[in-house]
Amino acid sequence: MDELEIDAVAEVELDDPVLVEGLPGVGHVGSLAVEHLLEELEGDSTLVRRIYSHEFPPQVSVEDGVSELTCAKLHAVTVPDGRDLLLLTGDHQAQTNEGHYVLTDAFLDIAEEFGAGEVYALGGVPTGELIDEYAVVGAVSDESMLESLEDVGVEFREDEPAGGIVGVSGLMLGLGERRGFEAACLMGETSGYLVDPKSARAVLEVLAERLGFDLEYESLDERADEMEDVIGKIQEMEQQQQMDVPTDDDLRYIG
């Protein structure tokens, strides 16, 4: 296999499509969001490309006993009364700096093939603590995009995210701008410790309003409830550990 191979699975005609990237990252926010889009819009989606690369980990996924070489996938989605979508998913990002550049260029090449001129990278921004209210923080490739995203609730904060945006999401903005794309990154606040369906929903609500389509969130909410149970158990364990820490008085009686 070559270092980069792209399988053309199908060809479809799309109307002014938007590329939406959701590869794994902080809290798996972006990947959860795009997986939910595919689940909700399954009847209108078509797998159009598989992207294989030496930059992905040397492994296969296995489903019902059948293996598949690690790859990224692009689905084309026709959205009634809304913008058509190109949804980028995958289980992994590149393992090297060079690989991030090579793969992002490949993703943008495919977007151009299908006539996309706008990109939304979805991800999470870590807070380091559990949160109740989920804001969506944004970054754009051109200031002309700021107002329209602020109108749908995206927050733009000075010097945040700290350290910038790494990986494919960051390069979608940087390389996208150099290639003439309008690109934005939508990042849901998340603790960064756990898979975060609530943050994914916050990002999707903004994206849906921006691009003009409707979604149901029942399955994502169910996953959020499951994570709430996990968080509750973790908090109980932490409280128990604090109660079990010996005091100075306790230590006096240790022989």
Side-chain angles (χ1 to χ4, degrees):
M1 189 184 90
D2 293 336
E3 291 186 8
L4 179 71
E5 290 188 3
I6 300 173
D7 285 358
V9 181
E11 301 296 338
V12 297
E13 292 292 330
L14 297 176
D15 181 20
D16 191 22
V18 178
L19 174 63
V20 180
E21 174 264 320
L23 295 174
V26 178
H28 283 266
V29 175
S31 54
L32 278 176
V34 172
E35 286 168 9
H36 187 73
L37 278 173
L38 279 171
E39 179 183 314
E40 290 296 311
L41 304 172
E42 182 179 8
D44 301 303
S45 69
T46 303
L47 175 64
V48 291
R49 297 289 187 274
R50 290 191 185 94
I51 301 95
Y52 299 93
S53 173
H54 290 182
E55 288 295 331
F56 292 134
Q59 68 185 68
V60 298
S61 59
V62 180
E63 184 173 351
D64 297 328
V66 179
S67 68
E68 180 181 44
L69 182 63
T70 294
C71 64
K73 297 179 181 179
L74 268 162
H75 289 79
V77 181
T78 54
V79 181
D81 304 320
R83 298 277 297 279
D84 288 345
L85 305 174
L86 279 170
L87 301 181
L88 173 60
T89 65
D91 293 328
H92 302 279
Q93 292 208 33
Q95 300 183 98
T96 68
N97 292 340
E98 181 183 3
H100 284 298
Y101 279 89
V102 170
L103 283 169
T104 303
D105 263 330
F107 300 147
L108 293 174
D109 285 343
I110 298 169
E112 285 183 341
E113 289 177 22
F114 283 93
E118 195 169 348
V119 177
Y120 288 89
L122 310 185
V125 57
T127 64
E129 58 186 8
L130 298 176
I131 54 179
D132 295 318
E133 298 294 328
Y134 287 81
V136 176
V137 180
V140 295
S141 61
D142 190 276
E143 63 180 356
S144 63
M145 303 178 70
L146 291 173
E147 184 176 352
S148 62
L149 288 171
E150 287 174 333
D151 288 344
V152 296
V154 180
E155 298 182 12
F156 294 93
R157 302 172 180 172
E158 186 175 359
D159 299 326
E160 194 170 340
I165 306 169
V166 299
V168 170
S169 290
L171 290 179
M172 285 289 181
L173 274 69
L175 295 180
E177 186 273 333
R178 292 180 63 84
R179 295 179 54 159
F181 286 88
E182 289 188 345
C185 186
L186 306 179
M187 297 162 282
E189 286 189 321
T190 179
S191 67
Y193 302 135
L194 300 167
V195 175
D196 200 335
K198 285 189 174 181
S199 183
R201 173 168 179 163
V203 169
L204 280 176
E205 288 175 340
V206 166
L207 184 70
E209 185 173 355
R210 176 69 182 87
L211 298 181
F213 58 84
D214 296 319
L215 283 177
E216 298 292 333
Y217 297 98
E218 182 178 355
S219 63
L220 203 56
D221 289 341
E222 289 175 357
R223 296 186 70 169
D225 290 340
E226 293 171 0
M227 291 308 302
E228 286 293 324
D229 291 340
V230 172
I231 292 170
K233 291 177 181 177
I234 292 173
Q235 291 173 329
E236 288 177 9
M237 292 172 60
E238 290 176 343
Q239 291 171 0
Q240 186 61 47
Q241 288 172 349
Q242 291 172 358
M243 292 173 62
D244 291 342
V245 173
T247 65
D248 290 342
D249 288 339
D250 294 328
L251 294 173
R252 292 173 189 167
Y253 295 97
I254 298 175

